[in-house]
Amino acid sequence: MPSQLFSETDEIIPAPVGVNVEPRLGRRGRSIVRAFARAALGVEDYRELIALREKFSKKADVSGRGTQALRVAVFILFDLKVQGWTLQVTRNGICGKAPKPDHSSPEAEKRRLRDSHLHERDNQLRQRSVREFIRKMEQQRMGPNGWVSILSVMRDGRELAEKLRAVEGESALQVKELRECISPYLQVVEPGARCSVTGLKLSEIWRYFRHTWTTPYNSTPGRKMWILVRDRAAKNHPVIGIAAIGSAVMQLSTRDAWIGWRPSEFLEQLRLKPDTDWAHWVRRSLDNLIGGVYRKDFLKDRILTVSSLRYPDEECIAKLLRESVKARKRHQKYPRREEHKGQGRSPRISWNQHARLDLFRAKRAESLAELLAARMKLRQVGFRTGSRVELQGALNSAQGRRAIETILKHVKASHVGIDMLDITICGAVAPYNSILGGKLVSLLLMSPEIVRAYTQKYAKTPSIIASSMAGRPVRRTPSLVLLGTTSLYGVNPSQYNRLRLEAADVGGRKGEWIHFQRLGKSEGFGSYH
């Protein structure tokens, strides 16, 4: 654990002002990591830094113990160095100072961040399995129409440039000729599917180009779709760009404020319009949420009673919370990972059995405790039948407002993972990236084909967490209404600027537009390790 590896000091550290990043090691270990920090101080070449890392990480304490801790310490200091940190050895330890963002030049700041990510990406490309995959893709093989390789789905930039330069004439004619130069279409990557033109696996085509991105390629949990944008105007239908959409981030303050999902905005909306429809929504949502949690085992174990489900009290809520803590401790001690990794796909385990696993027993107990507490609070403030007057009374009470916030949180969780997705990869490859191909890929993600493909893929797929909580298959028909994304570089991504599509052109209402809108800056941080 980090608390065991690094120590802090209360002493004043000389300039440069930063944080003490010296690991907690023996005397010999400290001298080695300090020697590494001194040796790396003036080195900027990546290969030289790797050589230093290998040299110092192979050393060990005199006793022969602590080798692994020493290697971890050297590797972490190496990572800080390649990420632009300044390391300086002082009498108190190793002082680390993070690089300052260059706010004066967005391009310079993007370049700095891009360079820091490229270290990890390039490190992945050095792995033997990745090198073998790239070699395999670049080797010639017999396809449906002759010898092909991944190079067959790359367009010659010189040929494309010549065709574009030759386009002249009136506007209508120019559009017709441009369509003969570039004719894009979407291709959703399905498991095992192959390109009908080249015979290459679509997933391998997508993965090959993904390795050219700034960040390393890693698999992500949750729902996801990979997309290729191909060009039917050229031989072998070369790849214009790639995209990926996946499960949305659960908490994103600027997005939630725009939707009206944050408690403050939502409660204000109810205050302005506390009508019968909203009152029925509060009652119906709470009933559905409680009904969606498997509870037979809790009734059998006398943690709950049928009466306490309708008229909860402090005692039953406390029992559920205690059971949640016990089940979570059992899960941490005996995690049974092989059963969770099956995620309900194995015929050997039913959703009923899955719900009884300690992980989901803990989750169910905690959720029921929250929801029953909300029901208890609403009853205490007089919200029982779901009338407009009762809703007004609940909104005027702190207890009632907290209960409605709990309902909102659980309803939001059921929609975030189903009806909205995040764009995780989006961009063009050469030579299309030089002619705004990234904007084309972004625009195509707004098309009805994406919505249909997502619906077809997940309409009959049980929601893993919801099914494990309910003890039965729960299939939520997707209704994709929002795509979100965040900038890798912390600045406004120009790729999405000024992109909009008239809804009528894709079967929507006339006068309405589908477009990308900048909402502001997100909070928090992420890690690419």
Side-chain angles (χ1 to χ4, degrees):
M1 293 176 63
S3 60
Q4 296 173 330
L5 182 60
F6 291 103
S7 61
E8 296 181 354
T9 178
D10 295 327
E11 297 180 61
I12 298 174
I13 300 174
V17 177
V19 293
N20 186 14
V21 294
E22 184 173 79
R24 183 181 297 167
L25 296 169
R27 182 180 298 178
R28 171 68 175 166
R30 286 201 306 272
S31 67
I32 291 172
V33 295
R34 288 188 178 194
F36 171 76
R38 290 192 187 95
L41 183 62
V43 179
E44 300 299 332
D45 183 77
Y46 187 65
R47 293 182 181 276
E48 288 185 37
L49 284 172
I50 290 179
L52 284 173
R53 183 190 69 183
E54 295 307 308
K55 173 184 175 182
F56 284 92
S57 65
K58 289 178 180 177
K59 299 184 179 182
D61 287 346
V62 175
S63 62
R65 293 177 296 178
T67 304
Q68 184 62 23
L70 179 60
R71 283 180 56 80
V72 169
V74 172
F75 271 65
I76 289 176
L77 292 177
F78 167 85
D79 284 343
L80 292 176
K81 174 66 179 176
V82 298
Q83 295 298 319
W85 282 58
T86 301
L87 302 177
Q88 181 175 332
V89 180
T90 72
R91 66 176 181 274
N92 298 315
I94 302 174
C95 179
K97 185 179 180 183
K100 285 185 178 180
D102 189 349
H103 298 297
S104 62
S105 170
E107 284 304 315
E109 178 62 9
K110 286 176 69 173
R111 187 163 51 251
R112 182 185 72 81
L113 290 169
R114 188 184 297 114
D115 290 344
S116 68
H117 288 301
L118 283 172
H119 288 303
E120 186 65 17
R121 195 283 307 269
D122 293 345
N123 188 50
Q124 185 181 60
L125 292 177
R126 293 186 187 94
Q127 294 175 10
R128 182 177 178 180
S129 60
V130 177
R131 293 201 311 269
E132 289 176 352
F133 167 75
I134 291 172
R135 275 198 297 267
K136 183 189 79 170
M137 293 299 293
E138 293 175 350
Q139 285 176 350
Q140 291 281 326
R141 69 189 80 178
M142 181 56 71
N145 303 307
W147 291 95
V148 295
S149 72
I150 191 66
L151 304 178
S152 303
V153 293
M154 298 182 193
R155 191 162 184 180
D156 187 335
R158 293 164 297 183
E159 173 264 337
L160 175 59
E162 288 174 7
K163 280 197 169 185
L164 290 174
R165 290 193 190 101
V167 174
E168 294 179 1
E170 296 298 326
S171 179
L173 181 61
Q174 188 180 36
V175 170
K176 181 176 180 294
E177 291 177 342
L178 283 171
R179 283 176 178 163
E180 294 176 358
C181 293
I182 302 174
S183 180
Y185 68 94
L186 288 165
Q187 192 170 41
V188 176
V189 178
E190 301 290 351
R194 291 183 178 271
C195 172
S196 60
V197 182
T198 63
L200 299 172
K201 281 188 177 181
L202 296 182
S203 59
E204 293 185 343
I205 294 175
W206 191 94
R207 181 188 166 191
Y208 181 91
F209 288 109
R210 174 62 181 86
H211 279 302
T212 67
W213 251 239
T214 302
T215 55
Y217 162 68
N218 294 304
S219 60
T220 55
R223 299 187 171 203
K224 52 181 171 283
M225 274 176 48
W226 291 354
I227 300 138
L228 291 167
V229 179
R230 308 283 294 272
D231 186 357
R232 63 166 60 89
K235 183 182 178 182
N236 293 329
H237 295 192
V239 174
I240 295 174
I242 65 171
I245 52 179
S247 297
V249 174
M250 186 62 69
Q251 301 286 347
L252 204 58
S253 59
T254 49
R255 178 203 65 195
D256 294 348
W258 179 74
I259 295 173
W261 264 352
R262 290 196 309 189
S264 55
E265 287 91 358
F266 184 74
L267 291 173
E268 182 61 26
Q269 183 182 357
L270 292 189
R271 287 192 191 96
L272 294 174
K273 192 181 178 182
D275 56 22
T276 305
D277 288 342
W278 275 119
H280 287 170
W281 179 88
V282 170
R283 183 182 178 187
R284 185 174 63 251
S285 297
L286 183 55
D287 289 344
N288 291 340
L289 288 167
I290 293 174
V293 180
Y294 180 79
R295 51 190 183 271
K296 285 185 179 179
D297 52 342
F298 295 146
L299 293 169
K300 182 181 178 181
D301 297 339
R302 297 186 179 182
I303 297 170
L304 281 177
T305 64
V306 175
S307 175
S308 64
L309 283 169
R310 296 188 63 188
Y311 308 105
D313 54 26
E314 297 284 357
E315 183 182 357
C316 79
I317 294 166
K319 284 183 178 178
L320 285 168
L321 291 174
R322 286 196 294 270
E323 182 57 31
S324 176
V325 171
K326 290 178 184 176
R328 197 168 295 278
K329 286 181 178 178
R330 288 196 301 269
H331 167 67
Q332 290 168 349
K333 192 171 184 180
Y334 310 106
R336 298 165 72 178
R337 294 186 183 90
E338 66 285 350
E339 295 186 22
H340 296 125
K341 286 188 177 181
Q343 301 296 349
R345 299 185 184 93
S346 172
R348 293 174 297 176
I349 184 168
S350 67
W351 289 114
N352 186 295
Q353 292 171 311
H354 219 243
R356 293 170 181 265
L357 294 173
D358 286 328
L359 173 63
F360 289 104
R361 185 176 169 94
K363 287 177 180 288
R364 288 188 292 113
E366 185 178 13
S367 292
L368 266 180
E370 290 182 359
L371 295 169
L372 291 178
R375 176 173 279 178
M376 180 184 70
K377 289 171 185 174
L378 286 175
R379 290 189 63 84
Q380 288 173 348
V381 299
F383 187 94
R384 299 182 182 186
T385 62
S387 69
R388 177 178 178 274
V389 174
E390 289 176 351
L391 177 59
Q392 285 179 316
L395 291 170
N396 291 329
S397 163
Q399 277 199 121
R401 291 194 296 272
R402 282 196 294 271
I404 293 173
E405 287 178 10
T406 298
I407 296 170
L408 172 65
K409 182 183 80 170
H410 286 267
V411 170
K412 172 188 168 184
S414 67
H415 285 286
V416 168
I418 304 295
D419 299 333
M420 51 198 294
L421 298 170
D422 279 347
I423 301 171
T424 55
I425 296 293
C426 182
V429 301
Y432 298 96
N433 57 349
S434 298
I435 52 172
L436 303 182
K439 283 185 176 288
L440 172 64
V441 177
S442 305
L443 196 62
L444 288 172
L445 289 180
M446 298 156 60
S447 63
E449 288 89 340
I450 296 296
V451 178
R452 283 197 295 269
Y454 175 61
T455 302
Q456 289 171 4
K457 182 172 183 178
Y458 288 105
K460 296 181 180 179
T461 303
S463 175
I464 294 169
I465 294 178
S467 299
S468 300
M469 294 289 282
R472 55 182 170 79
V474 176
R475 295 177 176 87
R476 293 171 174 162
T477 302
S479 178
L480 183 59
V481 296
L482 185 144
L483 287 176
T485 191
T486 52
S487 167
L488 179 65
Y489 303 110
V491 295
N492 188 29
S494 59
Q495 180 169 290
Y496 303 100
N497 285 348
R498 301 182 301 280
L499 290 185
R500 65 177 190 163
L501 182 67
E502 190 166 9
D505 291 340
V506 289
R509 297 180 198 169
K510 192 171 183 180
E512 293 186 354
W513 295 85
I514 308 169
H515 61 101
F516 286 96
Q517 180 176 336
R518 184 171 182 266
L519 301 180
K521 291 210 170 192
S522 59
E523 298 175 358
F525 64 93
S527 171
Y528 281 89
H529 273 288

